Amino acid sequence: MKTRFAPSPTGYIHIGNVRSAIYPYLLARQQDGTFILRIEDTDQARFVEGATELIEDTLKWLGLEWDEGPVVGGPAEPYFQSQRADIYRAWGEKLIAKGRAYADPTDSETIQKYRDECNAKKIPYLYRNFRPENPPEWKPGIPLRFKADPKPRKWHDEVMGDLEAGPEVQDDIILIKADGMPTYNFAHIVDDAEMGVTHVMRGVEYLSSTPNYLALYEALDLEVPKLVSLPHILAPTGNKKLGKRDGAKSATEYRADGVLPEAMLNYLACLGWNDGTEQEIYTKDELIKNFSLDKIQNSGARYDETKLLWMNGQWIRRIADERGIDALYARTITGDGFWPESAAPYDDEYKKKVLAIIYDRLKTLADLRDMTTYFFENPTVDLEMITGNKFLKKFSEDELSDMLMLTSRKLETIQDWNADNLQAALNELLEETGKKPAELFSVIRIALSFAPFSPALHLTMNVLGKNLTLSRLQTAATALEND
Ligand code: GLU
């Protein structure tokens, strides 16, 4: 079993591209096969500097290590199509020798004329109807065309089932362009053959060209590999393919936003595939074990970012719970890091304490930037947040100030500042003041954080420490009193 991921380095790694890497990877690992990375960079116009590195980086980030390809090499080197021109030329010559390819110097204006003629007559345009009678000898600079053998064709697609197509969709496709570079249509067939690829897994958009590919395999005496068409990923609404404009970010943008590779892998693997159970969270090993071609859906799968972020939250908790806070913390300091700027002077230990009490609320690691600032800097006092709070509206500012002062005095007596003692003190305060938890705890929580959310009070105060806790309570109390 040999599978491949064959991206074009265009600089933007669409979510659908990433899925086209995941499935062949899973299959290769499951069957002790080989997973090949091949860079399809023959379209010079679309080439983007650094794009190959971006692809490699994304695969590494997701843990999709390749067995053959750039960096690691392999028996079919080179793995960049732009460096394989001689190989395509040799295969092109094979086809010429068999009478199945011809040099075609026809210029683009003439070709356009043929097209217009067909349009005017309302007949389908097929280049083979205009095939030049006496093609010149093939040499660099002249495009090489396939000589089609149009006939009914049947084939099996592992996802789409049994398919067939008539001769009307088979044409004299270009194999090698005037610039000496092969077309995708030709290059991938040559490469898959040379590299021994057994399963061609790619987007369903190549399905309509498959009859032409079958003709090429036949002309080259090649066995047709297993064809696996992956259905489109659909936009969140409507019936269209997911595009950049639908809010889907590229894989690297999600990474920068603090999506974990485990979650990305899990989400994308399950987008259009499920093993028939209710399971939603899969480790890479579980995916490898459970993956199967026959469970790939043959209709489009709808992209749902909310689900991705939910899954990411699940993975954040799983890593913390199973591997410990240190393991999760390590993820938060990768790249530029995910902490607010004001956290920079604080040491790892303090940040780990913050993480330990907040991680179960995170959807992405980048949430740390907004959700933890009050652990690193004094929040701006915003009395409206207190007086406008639905549980606190009924109290006067003086009453609220008193509640905070009372709390401050009570907490001041705690000798051993820890979560248990803080919890006990808070319970006593409830009894002593006769206030409801929602009332007393809301005013305390806001005074400490001036944030819409904070973890349980005793945990928050434990991390903030005695000094900061008391001074924030007093600051808010004074502000209320002076208002
Ligand atoms: N280079 C093609 C793309 O990026 C790959 C298609 C294939 O996997 O054969 O769409």
Side-chain angles (χ1 to χ4, degrees):
M1 154 108 34
K2 271 195 164 193
T3 64
R4 89 300 198 273
F5 174 47
S8 302
T10 57
Y12 176 88
I13 309 181
H14 185 269
I15 291 297
N17 291 136
V18 180
R19 195 189 58 178
S20 303
I22 294 174
Y23 289 172
Y25 171 86
L26 294 177
L27 198 61
R29 286 293 167 272
Q30 181 185 71
Q31 311 275 328
D32 283 327
T34 304
F35 175 57
I36 302 171
L37 172 62
R38 180 172 75 221
I39 305 296
E40 304 210 320
D41 57 349
T42 54
D43 192 347
Q44 305 291 340
R46 285 174 71 211
F47 183 76
V48 175
E49 201 54 47
T52 301
E53 290 73 14
L54 193 68
I55 291 166
E56 295 172 5
D57 222 44
T58 304
L59 294 183
K60 279 192 219 151
W61 174 62
L62 289 166
L64 306 177
E65 67 287 349
W66 56 99
D67 308 305
E68 290 180 26
V71 189
V72 297
E77 266 174 329
Y79 290 89
F80 289 85
Q81 286 188 330
S82 61
Q83 297 168 19
R84 299 171 62 81
D86 292 347
I87 299 173
Y88 307 121
R89 197 173 313 127
W91 283 71
E93 272 154 7
K94 245 190 250 185
L95 283 173
I96 297 174
K98 290 181 155 190
R100 293 303 306 276
Y102 59 92
D104 183 14
T106 314
D107 57 44
S108 50
E109 285 82 43
T110 312
I111 295 178
Q112 190 54 47
K113 219 180 72 206
Y114 297 158
R115 256 182 229 280
D116 295 343
E117 257 172 52
C118 292
N119 282 346
K121 289 191 204 145
K122 296 201 164 50
I123 53 168
Y125 162 75
L126 281 166
Y127 191 79
R128 58 178 154 86
N129 295 332
F130 302 94
R131 201 179 273 169
E133 265 165 36
N134 296 306
E137 202 169 314
W138 185 50
K139 58 177 194 297
I142 308 180
L144 184 70
R145 263 188 205 268
F146 182 53
K147 197 182 252 177
D149 176 17
K151 60 183 184 192
R153 294 191 187 269
K154 290 188 176 177
W155 75 101
H156 181 75
D157 184 290
E158 300 300 310
V159 175
M160 301 298 161
D162 290 325
L163 301 168
E164 54 184 47
E168 68 284 354
V169 295
Q170 294 158 55
D171 203 4
D172 286 6
I173 56 175
I174 294 184
L175 304 174
I176 296 182
K177 297 174 282 183
D179 67 3
M181 284 293 174
T183 55
Y184 165 78
N185 294 338
F186 187 45
H188 85 274
I189 287 184
V190 168
D191 289 343
D192 287 340
E194 290 236 340
M195 296 175 184
V197 169
T198 58
H199 289 67
V200 171
M201 303 174 86
R202 63 182 160 204
V204 70
E205 57 271 27
Y206 296 96
L207 203 55
S208 59
S209 306
T210 303
N212 283 318
Y213 303 156
L214 295 173
L216 265 170
Y217 288 122
E218 192 176 76
L220 290 164
D221 296 319
L222 293 172
E223 200 184 314
V224 183
K226 291 238 182 301
L227 300 174
V228 188
S229 296
L230 306 177
H232 289 311
I233 295 181
L234 301 176
T237 55
N239 205 6
K240 57 177 172 37
K241 256 173 78 176
L242 179 72
K244 278 195 217 182
R245 281 203 210 114
D246 304 303
K249 298 174 189 157
S250 73
T252 33
E253 283 172 292
Y254 281 116
R255 171 189 185 169
D257 283 352
V259 168
L260 298 172
E262 287 91 340
M264 195 81 208
L265 188 74
N266 189 164
Y267 177 72
L268 289 177
C270 296
L271 192 58
W273 169 85
N274 72 70
D275 64 4
T277 70
E278 297 286 297
Q279 187 171 346
E280 290 195 286
I281 304 297
Y282 290 88
T283 62
K284 186 168 103 173
D285 286 345
E286 287 170 330
L287 288 171
I288 291 172
K289 188 160 154 267
N290 294 315
F291 184 72
S292 68
L293 290 179
D294 62 343
K295 295 262 167 47
I296 298 177
Q297 260 167 241
N298 60 9
S299 58
R302 200 171 288 290
Y303 182 70
D304 179 357
E305 190 176 271
T306 313
K307 178 90 186 263
L308 167 65
L309 297 183
W310 170 81
M311 225 174 234
N312 198 49
Q314 299 292 314
W315 269 103
I316 287 175
R317 284 180 265 307
R318 186 164 174 153
I319 289 173
D321 298 343
E322 287 182 2
R323 297 180 224 165
I325 276 298
D326 284 4
L328 182 60
Y329 180 70
R331 308 298 187 94
T332 69
I333 53 173
T334 57
D336 293 335
F338 292 101
W339 293 93
E341 267 175 45
S342 52
Y346 290 80
D347 62 14
D348 293 339
E349 290 317 306
Y350 183 71
K351 281 181 264 187
K352 279 182 203 168
K353 281 187 195 151
V354 174
L355 186 63
I357 63 171
I358 209 152
Y359 76 87
D360 62 351
R361 291 294 190 121
L362 301 176
K363 282 208 172 76
T364 70
L365 297 180
D367 286 344
L368 286 171
R369 290 194 191 116
D370 294 330
M371 284 169 67
T372 65
T373 47
Y374 57 89
F375 285 103
F376 306 104
E377 56 193 289
N378 280 325
T380 313
V381 174
D382 172 7
L383 294 184
E384 278 279 296
M385 260 184 107
I386 299 180
T387 54
N389 181 281
K390 67 176 171 186
F391 300 110
L392 306 177
K393 271 192 192 132
K394 59 171 174 251
F395 300 108
S396 70
E397 291 191 316
D398 282 345
E399 283 172 305
L400 292 165
S401 175
D402 288 348
M403 280 151 84
L404 291 174
M405 281 316 293
L406 201 71
T407 306
S408 167
R409 280 199 293 276
K410 175 93 188 171
L411 299 181
E412 204 171 352
T413 62
I414 297 181
Q415 294 300 324
D416 188 3
W417 192 265
N418 64 44
D420 288 344
N421 289 346
L422 282 161
Q423 185 62 64
L426 287 171
N427 290 341
E428 285 168 29
L429 270 168
L430 279 180
E431 269 178 40
E432 286 162 24
T433 58
K435 298 281 182 291
K436 294 187 183 125
E439 297 162 353
L440 183 67
F441 294 171
S442 292
V443 68
I444 300 175
R445 199 185 59 69
I446 301 171
L448 292 176
S449 67
F450 287 97
F453 154 81
S454 67
L457 266 186
H458 64 301
L459 302 176
T460 305
M461 297 194 296
N462 188 34
V463 171
L464 282 174
K466 192 168 184 175
N467 287 345
L468 270 186
T469 302
L470 299 188
S471 73
R472 286 189 192 171
L473 292 172
Q474 289 158 18
T475 303
T478 311
L480 282 164
E481 198 183 302
N482 296 339
D483 194 34

